[in-house]
Amino acid sequence: MSTLNAGHLDVCDLPAIMRTNYELTRMMGALKVSKEILKPHLEIQGQRSLSGEINISGAKNSALVLMTASLLTREALVIRNVPKLTDVEGMSNILLAMGVRLDRKLDEIEIQADKIQHIELPYELVHGLRASFFCIGPLLGRLGRARIPLPGGCRIGARPVVEHIRGLKALGAIVNVEHGVVTASVPGSQRRLKGADVILDCPSVGATETILMASVLAEGVSTIENAAQEPEVQDLAKMLNSMGARITGAGGPKITIEGVDELHGCEYKVMPDRIEAGTFLIAAAITRSIIRVSPVIPEHLSAVLQKLRDCGCSLQIENEAINLIPGQITGVDITTQPFPGFPTDLQAPFMALLATANGTSVVTEKIYENRLQHVAELQRMGASIRVQGNTALIEGVPELSAAPIKGSDLRSAAAMVLASLAARGTSKLEGLNHLDRGYEEIEVKLNKLGACIRRN
Ligand code: EPZ
C-alpha cells in the first residue's frame, strides 16, 4: 500500500473500509444537499411593483366550521365559495372518515351526514388540524356523544379548549379528558342537552362556535356572554339560522340561542376571507403598488384599514372592493385584540410592512403567547427589530435584502412572502406546508399582478 504523503490525502490511498465510509459520507452529504434543494419552496423576485385586481377566496376560518355544522342534520348541505386549501382537504378527510357523504365540485362542497358511522375522530387525521375540534359540539348536540382527540398546541401557543369544555358541561354534558382524548356525552336519562347561560372567561372564537353548535338542538334557551364577535362567528350563525336554528345577537358580546328539535339542509355561500384580503392589501403597501382587492367586506377589516391609513396609505372603499394607493410608509403602533380590534392573524404580515417603514413601530401580540417567530426571519433579511416579551420594537430600514427564509406557521409564512416581495434580490422561502393551509394559490394570484414567484 503506498505511503500517504504529508499534507495530501488521496482517497485511493485509504484502506478499502475507510474508502467505502468516505464515499458513503460524501453520498449522504450530497443526498442531504439535494434534499435541501428539493424541499418545496418559493423563489420570489423582490422589488417588482404590482398592479391590477386580486380575487379573494372564501374564508378559511369560516369554511372549516361551516363544514362541521353539516353534522347537525341528516339533510344535505351545499356550501359554496369554499377555498382550495390543505386545511379544507384535512377537514373533508375527517368528515369522510366519520362516514359522512362529501362531494367537492370546484368551489362547492355537498355534505350529507345522514349516516354517521364513527363518532371517534382518528388521531392521525386531527392532530394537525385544530379546527377538527369543532366537531364535538354538533356530534354532542345531534347524537348525544363524541370522542375527539385534544387538539395539540401549535407553534403560536398552547391553545387550550378549557372554555369549550366549560360551555359543554354547562349545557349538561358529561365531559372527561384522559389520554389526550375528550369524551363527551349527554347523561343517560336525558336525550338532549339542556339550554344554559354561559359566560366565557375569554372571547374565544372556537369556544363560541362550539357552544353555538351544541346548543342549537338543546332543550330550552341558551345564552353566551363575552362571546367572540369575529365575522366567522356571524357567518356560522347565519348558516345555522338558514338551517332552521333560532340564534340572535351573533357578532355582539351576547348571543341567544333558542333550541329547536331538528335542523334541515341548506345552501350557503362562505364569506370572503378578510385575512387573505388584508394580506394582499399589505402586499400592495409593501411594494408601493396600487392594487384592488375584491370581493371583500370592508367592515370586516376596519381596524386594519385604519392602520394602513395611519401608516400612509389611502384607500378607496367600494361596496365589496378596496383600492389601496400607497404613500410614504411611516411607522405605527399595533396591539392585537379580539374583533373588532386589530386581528392577530395579520400581525405578522403587517410587521413585514413596518420593517420597511420610515420610523419606529411597536407591535404587541396580546392573543397568543408565542406569535413573534417571524421576527428572526425578518432579521435575516436585514430588518431591525428588538423583542421584549410579547412586544416587538421595529426600526424601519430603507431596504430588506433577499435571503433563504422559512415560514414557521401559516401567517409568519405569509409575512415572509410579503417581505420577499419588497427585498432586493431573490428570496427562497420554505414552509409551504404552512402557507398552503390558508392561502389558495398565493403565487398564482400575485404573479397575475406582476410578481415573479416560482414554486419549486
Ligand atoms: C380561531 O382560532 C382561528 N382559527 C385563528 O386563526 C385565530 O387566530 C383565532 O380564532 C383568533 O381570532 C380558526 O378559526 C380555525 P381562540 P381559535 O379560541 O378558535 C385563548 C389562522 O391563522 N383561549 O379565539 O383557536 C387561546 O389560547 C388561525 O387562521 C383560552 O385561553 O382561537 C388564544 O390565546 C390561527 N382558552 C386566544 O384565546 C380557551 O378555552 C384565542 O383563541 C380557548 C382559547
Side-chain angles (χ1 to χ4, degrees):
M1 179 174 75
S2 62
T3 53
L4 302 180
N5 45 11
H8 175 69
L9 172 73
D10 190 321
V11 72
C12 49
D13 294 329
L14 291 172
I17 180 69
M18 281 178 77
R19 220 170 26 240
T20 330
N21 232 345
Y22 175 79
E23 290 303 335
L24 263 178
T25 318
R26 260 169 30 109
M27 274 181 344
M28 291 305 283
L31 203 63
K32 193 168 171 314
V33 167
S34 59
K35 233 175 85 194
E36 279 304 307
I37 293 170
L38 288 177
K39 247 189 197 163
H41 60 275
L42 293 181
E43 261 177 36
I44 305 170
Q45 242 180 54
Q47 298 190 334
R48 294 171 67 92
S49 66
L50 311 179
S51 68
E53 172 162 340
I54 206 155
N55 177 57
I56 300 303
S57 305
K60 164 181 89 81
N61 290 345
S62 181
L64 292 173
V65 69
L66 297 179
M67 289 170 75
T68 62
S70 63
L71 297 168
L72 283 164
T73 176
R74 305 178 51 78
E75 296 183 15
L77 228 56
V78 177
I79 306 175
R80 295 206 169 82
N81 199 29
V82 179
K84 277 194 293 297
L85 300 169
T86 51
D87 269 9
V88 170
E89 259 168 64
M91 183 60 83
S92 303
N93 294 335
I94 288 167
L95 293 170
L96 287 165
M98 292 164 69
V100 171
R101 180 177 66 78
L102 186 145
D103 298 305
R104 170 151 205 165
K105 280 189 287 302
L106 299 173
D107 76 343
E108 187 178 292
I109 291 186
E110 182 170 333
I111 311 178
Q112 185 153 13
D114 53 341
K115 299 188 193 67
I116 300 173
Q117 282 130 10
H118 310 284
I119 54 116
E120 179 162 351
L121 275 55
Y123 180 70
E124 64 280 359
L125 287 181
V126 307
H127 78 97
L129 180 61
R130 179 176 173 80
S132 56
F133 199 69
F134 288 148
C135 295
I136 195 166
L139 285 175
L140 200 52
R142 174 160 162 232
L143 302 179
R145 61 195 196 290
R147 267 176 67 78
I148 317 266
L150 262 183
C154 60
R155 287 172 174 280
I156 62 176
R159 307 191 73 184
V161 288
V162 174
E163 294 298 286
H164 307 61
I165 292 171
R166 227 163 51 76
L168 296 175
K169 283 183 174 173
L171 292 166
I174 298 169
V175 186
N176 290 310
V177 183
E178 51 187 3
H179 311 307
V181 177
V182 180
T183 306
S185 59
V186 175
S189 52
Q190 281 169 256
R191 208 177 51 78
R192 295 162 70 182
L193 291 170
K194 288 227 177 316
D197 298 327
V198 181
I199 303 176
L200 293 176
D201 285 351
C202 67
S204 156
V205 173
T208 303
E209 294 169 340
T210 292
I211 299 164
L212 255 184
M213 293 194 284
S215 59
V216 285
L217 293 174
E219 212 169 296
V221 178
S222 303
T223 60
I224 307 171
E225 291 194 65
N226 195 20
Q229 304 179 39
E230 271 69 3
E232 291 76 17
V233 172
Q234 299 173 57
D235 221 22
L236 172 63
K238 257 170 73 186
M239 189 182 85
L240 290 171
N241 281 342
S242 56
M243 293 167 69
R246 291 200 198 121
I247 302 167
T248 51
K254 179 174 180 179
I255 304 176
T256 304
I257 307 103
E258 197 186 318
V260 294
D261 293 341
E262 63 177 8
L263 295 182
H264 51 73
C266 78
E267 300 199 3
Y268 193 78
K269 183 177 179 190
V270 181
M271 69 182 200
D273 194 314
R274 62 192 173 104
I275 305 301
E276 185 194 20
T279 305
F280 287 129
L281 286 171
I282 299 167
I286 202 170
T287 55
R288 311 307 188 254
S289 308
I290 297 175
I291 73 155
R292 179 184 163 85
V293 163
S294 171
V296 60
I297 302 174
E299 54 270 22
H300 286 177
L301 276 171
S302 308
V304 181
L305 300 183
Q306 191 49 55
K307 289 297 174 183
L308 284 167
R309 288 191 193 92
D310 293 352
C311 75
C313 301
S314 45
L315 301 164
Q316 288 160 357
I317 311 277
E318 295 166 27
N319 187 15
E320 285 225 332
I322 298 174
N323 291 289
L324 184 136
I325 300 101
Q328 165 75 17
I329 303 294
T330 54
V332 289
D333 295 348
I334 284 175
T335 301
T336 62
Q337 300 285 354
F339 193 86
F342 191 96
T344 174
D345 295 347
L346 283 173
Q347 177 260 106
F350 213 102
M351 190 185 290
L353 172 62
L354 297 176
T356 70
N358 203 347
T360 306
S361 308
V362 178
V363 173
T364 307
E365 172 56 56
K366 303 276 272 192
I367 303 295
Y368 290 107
E369 57 270 36
N370 189 26
R371 203 172 201 179
L372 293 174
Q373 297 171 64
H374 42 287
V375 169
E377 294 301 297
L378 288 170
Q379 287 166 334
R380 289 166 50 73
M381 299 179 80
S384 167
I385 306 174
R386 269 185 307 119
V387 173
Q388 194 100 36
N390 63 351
T391 298
L393 179 77
I394 301 125
E395 297 290 343
V397 293
E399 191 176 73
L400 294 175
S401 59
I405 43 183
K406 274 196 176 69
S408 54
D409 62 77
L410 167 54
R411 306 304 175 182
S412 69
M416 300 324 292
V417 171
L418 301 183
S420 304
L421 288 172
R424 180 171 35 77
T426 299
S427 299
K428 180 182 163 200
L429 172 64
E430 287 177 11
L432 305 194
N433 54 316
H434 299 297
L435 193 62
D436 294 341
R437 296 187 51 188
Y439 291 91
E440 183 176 348
E441 300 184 322
I442 189 167
E443 75 275 14
V444 174
K445 293 189 177 183
L446 286 168
N447 286 341
K448 275 192 188 136
L449 297 184
C452 182
I453 304 173
R454 213 177 56 192
R455 182 179 285 248
N456 296 317

